[in-house]
Amino acid sequence: MAELNTGDGGGGKGGKVRSKKQNSKVDLTAMVDLAFLLITFFMLTTTLSKPQSMSLGLPAKEKNDKPDVETKVDEKLTVTLLLGKDNKLIFYSGLLETPITAPKDAVYGKDGIRKELLARKKVIDAYAKSTGNDKKAMTVIIKPTKESTYKNVVDVLDEMAILKVPIYAIVNDFTPEETKLLEGTK
């Protein structure tokens, strides 16, 4: 790879022979080729970071033009989460008119809503066993307002994944009572 230029051999004059200073020159072409090969290799073999996402089970689209049919759920199996502005979170079980657990304020996280949902899940599992139908599961209805933040919805969806809640829905229709409850008036 290294190449030495020695010049022409002897000089045309006779007499004293002087040694010529030799110039050294290094050919770096092979090193540049190797560098580009390594860069290409590492670019192709590294895995790029993948965005974190949560899989959601969405209902299949139906081809018929039937009007939306309301799904009836046993009120003893339901928990409703109301997400309001300023990180406000209210939950209750059953129907708001005749609640199984009265509406309560909660906070996001493991010491707040997760703890409450775990307690409610134990009660619902016991109810399902007492009726002889182990396939009944807790159904969580998530109702975010327009003032609630995206972070709050993601936090609640994370709780659904952590607690392995099989049935949950995000709904945007509020009853007047629920709106009053979120605003703080009864």
Side-chain angles (χ1 to χ4, degrees):
M1 301 280 180
E3 185 178 304
L4 296 175
N5 293 335
T6 56
D8 314 0
K13 299 181 185 176
K16 209 171 177 187
V17 177
R18 288 179 129 185
S19 64
K20 293 211 173 194
K21 191 174 187 183
Q22 296 178 352
N23 295 331
S24 62
K25 180 180 170 187
V26 178
D27 185 18
L28 297 176
T29 306
M31 187 183 274
V32 171
D33 288 346
L34 180 66
F36 279 114
L37 282 172
L38 286 173
I39 289 171
T40 306
F41 172 76
F42 286 117
M43 283 176 53
L44 294 175
T45 57
T46 17
T47 57
L48 300 175
S49 64
K50 294 181 181 179
Q52 294 180 350
S53 63
M54 179 180 186
S55 61
L56 294 176
L58 299 175
K61 292 183 180 179
E62 294 184 17
K63 294 181 182 179
N64 54 10
D65 293 333
K66 293 180 184 176
D68 290 339
V69 179
E70 289 186 13
T71 305
K72 300 291 183 187
V73 179
D74 188 357
E75 65 188 47
K76 294 179 182 174
L77 302 175
T78 62
V79 175
T80 304
L81 303 176
L82 304 174
L83 311 178
K85 63 180 177 178
D86 299 329
N87 296 329
K88 187 166 188 170
L89 173 63
I90 298 174
F91 75 97
Y92 62 90
S93 296
L95 300 174
L96 188 57
E97 298 81 28
T98 56
I100 295 170
T101 59
K104 288 193 239 177
D105 287 340
V107 294
Y108 295 94
K110 67 177 183 177
D111 293 328
I113 192 63
R114 186 181 310 168
K115 189 185 235 183
E116 298 290 344
L117 287 174
L118 273 173
R120 189 69 199 136
K121 189 174 183 181
K122 287 178 185 176
V123 171
I124 289 173
D125 288 344
Y127 168 73
K129 286 182 183 177
S130 70
T131 60
N133 190 353
D134 290 338
K135 293 186 179 183
K136 290 184 177 181
M138 179 168 71
T139 302
V140 179
I141 301 169
I142 304 165
K143 293 186 174 187
T145 62
K146 291 180 182 177
E147 294 86 21
S148 63
T149 63
Y150 180 74
K151 180 187 179 309
N152 292 343
V153 175
V154 170
D155 288 343
V156 168
L157 290 176
D158 286 343
E159 295 299 333
M160 298 300 111
I162 290 168
L163 297 174
K164 295 180 176 80
V165 175
I167 304 168
Y168 58 90
I170 300 175
V171 182
N172 64 355
D173 59 336
F174 283 86
T175 63
E177 294 83 15
E178 289 172 335
T179 306
K180 288 178 186 176
L181 188 63
L182 277 172
E183 291 173 355
T185 58
K186 292 187 178 183

